Amino acid sequence: MPRYFFNTRIGGELIADPEGEELRNPDRAWEVARAMIRELLKTEGAQNGLLNATLEVTDDEGEIVLEFPFAEAILDGSGHRMTKH
């Protein structure tokens, strides 16, 4: 199974995910990214610029598979994807 890394970009700072997670495909990575963002916003709130942050999901080779803005995770309550990947 492919490994995906969930790196958080806040402004010019990148917080790297050194371990990643094995997932079956990019669609599942999208679902995990959305859940991670929602949980983080639930526990941390919108402080420290989190609503302006982006989760950059990369593959084993460091290629960006998708970029998921934190604000988009809370705006899309319908369950339909708004992120293109």
Side-chain angles (χ1 to χ4, degrees), residues 16-84:
D17 170 11
E19 295 181 23
E21 189 171 337
E22 287 186 354
L23 301 167
R24 66 181 172 263
N25 57 37
D27 288 334
R28 181 66 183 136
W30 183 92
E31 293 167 358
V32 170
R34 184 172 184 236
M36 289 174 69
I37 292 169
R38 287 181 168 209
E39 184 61 30
L40 187 58
L41 288 173
K42 183 177 165 184
T43 59
E44 299 294 323
Q47 59 187 329
N48 301 325
L50 286 181
L51 283 178
N52 296 320
T54 301
L55 201 62
E56 294 180 356
V57 182
T58 59
D59 61 17
D60 277 328
E61 296 172 6
E63 296 294 321
I64 294 176
V65 176
L66 66 98
E67 294 177 307
F68 203 136
F70 276 44
E72 189 174 299
I74 60 171
L75 293 176
D76 178 28
S78 66
H80 291 70
R81 284 189 215 148
M82 296 174 66
T83 305
K84 295 179 182 177

